[in-house]
Amino acid sequence: MRKNFKPSAWLLPAPVLIIGSYNEDGTANAMTAAWGAMSDYTQIFLALDFSHKTAANILKRKAFTVSVVDANHVKEADYVGMVSGNDICDKVENAELHVIKSKHVDAPYFSEFPMTFECRVAQVDMEKERVFGDIINISVEEHVLDEQGQIDRNKLNPICIDSVSGTYCKVTEAIGKSFHEGTVFKK
């Protein structure tokens, strides 16, 4: 038997992402977002409340970064998601994040997070408060790569958020191979 619920943001799992942007005065801003995903092979989609400082920064600079949060930096990610850049101007400093200026877009990223997508705004939906960014570069720390130079999920140690229970979870256990497990069924 199933139970029905009202519409909610329960699509599981949701990645925990740090959105980097520059404020008007050139200082770095960071915001945690869980409503982001790939919208194409070379494009990222973000659903942002446009009252956030980050949204204003992105609209002005036409660029942003998206970093994948790892299990070692849950506290920092949680903090920059809890406080607003509209209220706390030095939240990046308070979270003890180290700013790196992107060489590819007009936005910062943070050395604590080992994988970052550097994006240029491609499209903005003002009515639905959505931003699409073309991926210009993906910056990955070498310590999270395997012997073949590919991202090793276990070394990256990404987290997701369970929006039903409000908890952060690791995303490391493999349970099967994509485009292989289904071969047991007839075509």
Side-chain angles (χ1 to χ4, degrees):
M1 175 172 257
R2 290 183 176 236
K3 182 177 177 180
N4 296 314
F5 293 89
K6 65 179 180 153
S8 299
W10 286 356
L11 187 59
L12 300 173
V16 180
L17 307 168
I18 297 293
I19 312 306
S21 64
Y22 283 122
N23 297 318
E24 282 189 21
D25 65 1
T27 59
N29 181 54
M31 179 190 114
T32 304
W35 292 17
M38 299 299 299
S39 65
D40 197 334
Y41 283 100
T42 60
Q43 198 172 73
I44 287 184
F45 154 81
L46 300 174
L48 299 173
D49 180 335
F50 277 19
S51 69
H52 287 289
K53 181 79 160 174
T54 298
N57 293 345
I58 290 171
L59 294 175
K60 184 167 182 73
R61 301 267 185 154
K62 305 294 186 213
F64 59 95
T65 60
V66 178
S67 295
V68 175
V69 177
D70 64 320
N72 295 327
H73 296 96
V74 173
K75 290 177 179 140
E76 294 87 343
D78 196 49
Y79 175 77
V80 298
M82 291 172 24
V83 299
S84 170
N86 289 322
D87 302 325
I88 310 241
C89 61
D90 54 358
K91 72 179 191 171
V92 168
E93 185 178 319
N94 290 351
E96 300 177 358
L97 296 176
H98 297 89
V99 178
I100 299 172
K101 180 177 176 33
S102 168
K103 294 178 184 173
H104 303 277
V105 298
D106 188 17
Y109 59 96
F110 309 95
S111 65
E112 286 73 15
F113 307 109
M115 181 178 178
T116 301
F117 296 84
E118 299 168 70
C119 302
R120 190 175 302 127
V121 172
Q123 180 184 354
V124 176
D125 182 335
M126 296 298 286
E127 183 181 335
K128 295 186 178 180
E129 299 182 311
R130 295 179 181 154
V131 174
F132 294 83
D134 288 331
I135 301 167
I136 305 304
N137 186 57
I138 303 172
S139 172
V140 181
E141 290 286 341
E142 289 183 8
H143 73 269
V144 300
L145 301 178
D146 64 17
E147 298 77 31
Q148 289 78 37
Q150 298 299 309
I151 297 165
D152 182 319
R153 180 189 65 258
N154 291 309
K155 290 179 181 179
L156 180 61
N157 205 9
I159 63 169
C160 65
I161 187 164
D162 174 343
S163 55
V164 177
S165 66
T167 56
Y168 296 113
C169 309
K170 289 183 180 184
V171 186
T172 52
E173 182 182 357
I175 60 166
K177 198 79 168 141
S178 61
F179 299 100
H180 174 75
E181 301 303 320
T183 60
V184 298
F185 300 104
K186 292 182 182 177
K187 289 188 177 189

